[in-house]
Structures are given as C-alpha cells and as structure tokens.
Amino acid sequence: MEERYYTVDIIVHDRENAYSKVNELLHQYADIIKLRVGYPVPDENIAIVFLIVKTNNDTMGAFTGKLGNIKGVKVKSVAVN
C-alpha cells in the first residue's frame, strides 16, 4: 500500500485523565511519526499536539480511530499529498 504524509491535530480536553493514554498511543505508533509538537495549557486543563506522520491509509485510520476513542480527545487528520 502506498504511503503518504498526513498532518494530525490532537486536542486533549481533559489533560489530567486523557493525556497519558494519548502519550501511550503515540509511543505505540512512534515509527510513523516524523514530527511531534506539543503545547500543554495546564491552566485550562487542555493540551494541543500537532503531528506529521508518514504511513498508509489503513494504518492512519487505525491510529486516528484509536485516538478518537479516548474520552476527552478530539482528532483531525489531513492527507498532505
């Protein structure tokens, strides 16, 4: 299957409860992550994470699906090419 680049925006609305689960999942998929930028906002109990990943469509769907199933997390991805 053809690989392509994607951008992934992750908004963690409940940092105290969801962030460790997000981090665990990011570590599981570390081999496809090319860039990771995180911006924690402790005063508002949120975190924003921006990723660039290179993978195929099936893996991308599995990855974003698992992220989206974490309570308090919203995720959006866009294929770059």
Side-chain angles (χ1 to χ4, degrees):
M1 213 174 219
E2 182 183 347
E3 290 190 340
R4 56 174 27 171
Y5 284 96
Y6 296 85
T7 63
V8 183
D9 300 322
I10 306 165
I11 311 297
V12 182
H13 290 282
D14 186 3
R15 224 176 132 242
E16 290 178 5
N17 295 314
Y19 201 69
S20 63
K21 295 173 188 171
V22 171
N23 268 331
E24 184 178 311
L25 196 57
L26 293 179
H27 286 291
Q28 288 175 16
Y29 283 87
D31 58 323
I32 67 168
I33 297 172
K34 304 301 180 191
L35 175 74
R36 174 180 173 177
V37 179
Y39 181 68
V41 188
D43 296 343
E44 298 180 35
N45 194 30
I46 65 169
I48 302 163
V49 181
F50 173 77
L51 306 174
I52 295 178
V53 301
K54 185 177 183 185
T55 190
N56 60 53
N57 197 47
D58 290 347
T59 302
M60 188 65 193
F63 176 52
T64 56
K66 289 176 184 176
L67 281 169
N69 281 332
I70 299 171
K71 185 178 179 182
V73 174
K74 290 189 179 182
V75 62
K76 184 166 276 198
S77 64
V78 176
V80 175
N81 55 353

